[in-house]
Amino acid sequence: MSIEAKLAELGITLPEPAAPVAAYVPVVVAGGLAHVSGQLPFVDGKLVTGRLGEDVSTEDGTAAARACGLMLLAQVKAALGSLDKVERVVKLGAFVNSAGSFTDQPKVANGASELMVEVFGDAGRHARSAVGVPVLPLGAAVEVDAIFAIKG
């Protein structure tokens, strides 16, 4: 089954890839890998902002991380022309805008991680970092970057 068919089966529609907000490119392909810049969470076209452990619940943070994952997929599709060119998800890096006492960054990051497994199956299992940070660009609640291995 193609990844496009899998997305349709899951009822997933990818967002339009977001334009960079500073001096970088969304995806760099080198050495058989696609390195995807950090993506912010847009839900219904609106940036999810706030801080986990203060004004954003763990559930909403997890949904925000999933939204970041959808944007990662949209960026890879735009760069490669097709998600069928992805051999596997190598690594995700999740940055969670967190209060000092918040320690559930791994649970929040699962929003993006579980999406990758839904879409790519075993090839979606990946290495990962999930860290708390005091602030993210534009006040975003979560940011996720990724490395994908490319077929051929």
Side-chain angles (χ1 to χ4, degrees), residues 14-49:
L14 295 181
E16 285 297 315
V21 298
Y24 62 90
V25 295
V27 180
V28 171
V29 176
L33 300 172
H35 298 262
V36 187
S37 297
Q39 300 298 306
L40 301 181
F42 288 90
V43 175
D44 297 326
K46 185 174 187 233
L47 179 65
V48 178
T49 61

Side-chain angles (χ1 to χ4, degrees), residues 34-143:
H35 298 262
V36 187
S37 297
Q39 300 298 306
L40 301 181
F42 288 90
V43 175
D44 297 326
K46 185 174 187 233
L47 179 65
V48 178
T49 61
R51 178 168 289 139
L52 278 287
E54 285 183 4
D55 55 357
V56 177
S57 70
T58 301
E59 295 76 21
D60 287 344
T62 302
R66 181 180 176 87
C68 292
L70 291 170
M71 190 61 74
L72 288 167
L73 295 177
Q75 295 289 6
V76 170
K77 181 179 177 185
L80 302 179
S82 170
L83 289 173
D84 290 323
K85 294 181 180 177
V86 172
E87 182 175 332
R88 76 164 298 131
V89 182
V90 177
K91 184 171 185 192
L92 297 183
F95 305 89
V96 181
N97 186 346
S98 305
S101 61
F102 185 81
T103 59
D104 280 337
Q105 291 84 1
K107 287 182 184 175
V108 170
N110 281 347
S113 291
E114 291 170 359
L115 172 68
M116 297 303 157
V117 175
E118 281 179 55
V119 172
F120 296 106
D122 282 342
R125 297 189 188 286
H126 52 271
R128 186 182 82 187
S129 299
V131 298
V133 296
V135 67
L136 285 168
L138 307 176
V142 183
E143 179 175 351

